[in-house]
Amino acid sequence: QGDTANVPILSTDLLLDKWYADEDLTMPIASGYTYEPEIGVNEYGNKLFYVIREQNGCFSEVAIDTLYIIKHPVITIDEDRTICVYDTIQPITVQTFEPELTDRSSVVWRVRTGKVSKFVEENPEDHSIVPVDEINAAGEYEVYASYRYVYDNIFCTSDEVSMNVLVKERARKPIVFTTTICAGENIDQLRSLGSPYTTWISIGDDNRRTLPLEYHGQSYKFQPGQTLDTGVYHYVVYDMNMYDEENLLGCESLRDTVSMVVAPAAKTKLFGRDSVCMGSQGEAYYTRYEKTSQYFWNVTGNHLNYSKDASSTSVRYIDWMSVGIDTLTVYEQTWAGCEGFDTIVVRVAPAPVASFGWSMPGSSNVIELVDSTIQDSLWTTNTEGELIAEPIAYTLEWNFGHQGAENQVDTVVEFEKRKFPIREGGYLYGYNCPVLTVTNDYGCKSSYTECIFVNVSSSLYVPDAFAPTNPAHAVRTFAPKGFNLLSCEISVYDKWGNLLWFSNEVKDGMFVGYWDGRYDGKMMKSDVYIWKMEATFLDGQVWPGFDNGNGKTTKYGSVMLLR
């Protein structure tokens, strides 16, 4: 089809032949032993010619000759395609053959890039090609194909058709700014250097995956209000070199796995006294220690703060040298950069000045003690700049100063009762030294002592009669009286010298023993009984006895038992 050269058709006998195009033989189209028909470009198929030979007025039978006109071959191949450099080359195939394929027909393939053209051997089964060696790098390729149609040892070749194969480069692998966040903080988005088509995929165990599970964009934005447990979270990240934005087709970059660490928050906790005394030195403060954390200290009021061990930043010592209300702060920075702090408001109080007044209210061995301690208030400045006094309470511990009881605490008096006088008796002759120890609410202590000379007056009295069965309780016993006694022994005898009763009971300088008139559980009869007494007073003097009226003393006497 479409050949421009005339195709001669020959007869075999040099006689007069007439050629007809129609079998009705009405009009010859040529005469002679040869006929060269012209074939139009749109003609194809089988064309019949009818020939009659005339010789000497005789005509032969009609001979029929057939001219086979092959339609110009046409093929179509795959449409243009875009692939990525890492894609497997898929077969390029013929979509249609015209005329239909014959056994000996074939397709001639070639691939051209730039000025280089290479023929590619086809797969004889389906006449496709897989140009792996020819299309092996990013670039633009043209694939050409021509159809070689064979019929009865004659072949016709189609015009070349082509398609384009665009091989796109990979996208660049995005650069991700990995980060460490602190538990409890607002979760900031993860950022990358990449295109808007960067893809983030949260991977790992369910409890280590974040929402959304997949996100597209230069930054990975967490869901609002999302909180994460401490640990490591992993993401697969890749970019896309987009060549068909409408259908979201593009070439992926290499994939990268990045991590985000959610570090434990700083759990800063400060320990130490919040009430101290002015002048307190080397007061220790410490924080909950984490090996990988660093600690930084600050104290208001120009108090000296220092460390005794340069390698330990979690302990600090303070010299509290001035009165006031100050703040001690420790800042913590963990290995992950998480920050925390804690403070203690420390009241630095003035120490009390212990003191007391005393008097002896009449009794020779009784002392009355009254607190006169001076305790200054803690002065602070309010928000208006006014000085405000903060009273400081204190507790009193009294040692009444009895001889031989230097270190004991005899009574404790609360602040509210500090002005009530304390009366204490039973002091021994000589110097007795009461001690007042005052401890205020801040732990500040002060002591004061003063020695008081006790010059005791002593006396003894022995009744001369008693009545055990008398209704009046005061006269039922024989009860000698003595004051400021160190010791006292009294014995009662009958008139034959038998010992009926003995007592040496002395308490707080007084004789407290008594005889109820019984011996061996039985009441004695009414009679006169003899007593004997030995006594020593608190000033160390020995009782000389009673004056008997003739300038002498006696330690004996008599008592009448009445029934």
Side-chain angles (χ1 to χ4, degrees), residues 18 21 51 103 108 211 225 237 259 287 293 328 400 476 497 505:
K18 292 184 179 181
V51 184
D103 290 340
V108 178
L211 297 176
V237 185
S259 301
T287 185
S293 291
L328 175 64
F400 293 136
R476 289 182 182 177
E505 299 176 73

Side-chain angles (χ1 to χ4, degrees), residues 259-273:
S259 301
M260 178 187 71
V261 177
V262 180
K267 298 180 179 179
T268 315
K269 181 63 178 177
L270 187 55
F271 300 92
R273 294 177 58 197

Side-chain angles (χ1 to χ4, degrees), residues 226-295:
Q226 185 170 181
T227 59
L228 300 177
D229 295 333
T230 57
V232 182
Y233 297 80
H234 301 288
Y235 302 86
V236 170
V237 185
Y238 62 90
D239 203 350
M240 186 75 77
N241 182 7
M242 197 65 66
Y243 59 79
D244 184 351
E245 294 188 4
E246 182 178 354
N247 296 304
L248 297 178
L249 298 177
C251 297
E252 292 184 6
S253 69
L254 293 174
R255 297 192 173 203
D256 196 7
T257 300
V258 298
S259 301
M260 178 187 71
V261 177
V262 180
K267 298 180 179 179
T268 315
K269 181 63 178 177
L270 187 55
F271 300 92
R273 294 177 58 197
D274 60 359
S275 301
V276 297
C277 300
M278 184 188 70
S280 176
Q281 297 184 5
E283 191 73 33
Y285 293 85
Y286 63 96
T287 185
R288 183 187 287 114
Y289 176 67
E290 291 292 341
K291 185 177 181 180
T292 55
S293 291
Q294 289 292 320
Y295 301 92

Side-chain angles (χ1 to χ4, degrees), residues 47-99:
K47 189 164 186 162
L48 300 179
F49 294 93
Y50 304 92
V51 184
I52 297 177
R53 176 165 289 175
E54 181 182 352
Q55 186 175 16
N56 300 320
C58 297
F59 294 90
S60 70
E61 294 180 356
V62 178
I64 300 175
D65 200 358
T66 303
L67 176 63
Y68 296 100
I69 305 172
I70 301 171
K71 183 178 180 180
H72 187 71
V74 175
I75 62 170
T76 60
I77 61 176
D78 292 339
E79 294 181 351
D80 295 348
R81 67 178 65 170
T82 302
I83 64 174
C84 299
V85 70
Y86 52 79
D87 286 340
T88 301
I89 300 296
Q90 299 299 317
I92 298 175
T93 62
V94 178
Q95 297 296 311
T96 61
F97 291 93
E98 190 178 346

Side-chain angles (χ1 to χ4, degrees), residues 175-187:
I175 299 173
V176 178
F177 301 101
T178 57
T179 185
T180 298
I181 64 174
C182 303
E185 294 182 350
N186 291 329
I187 305 174

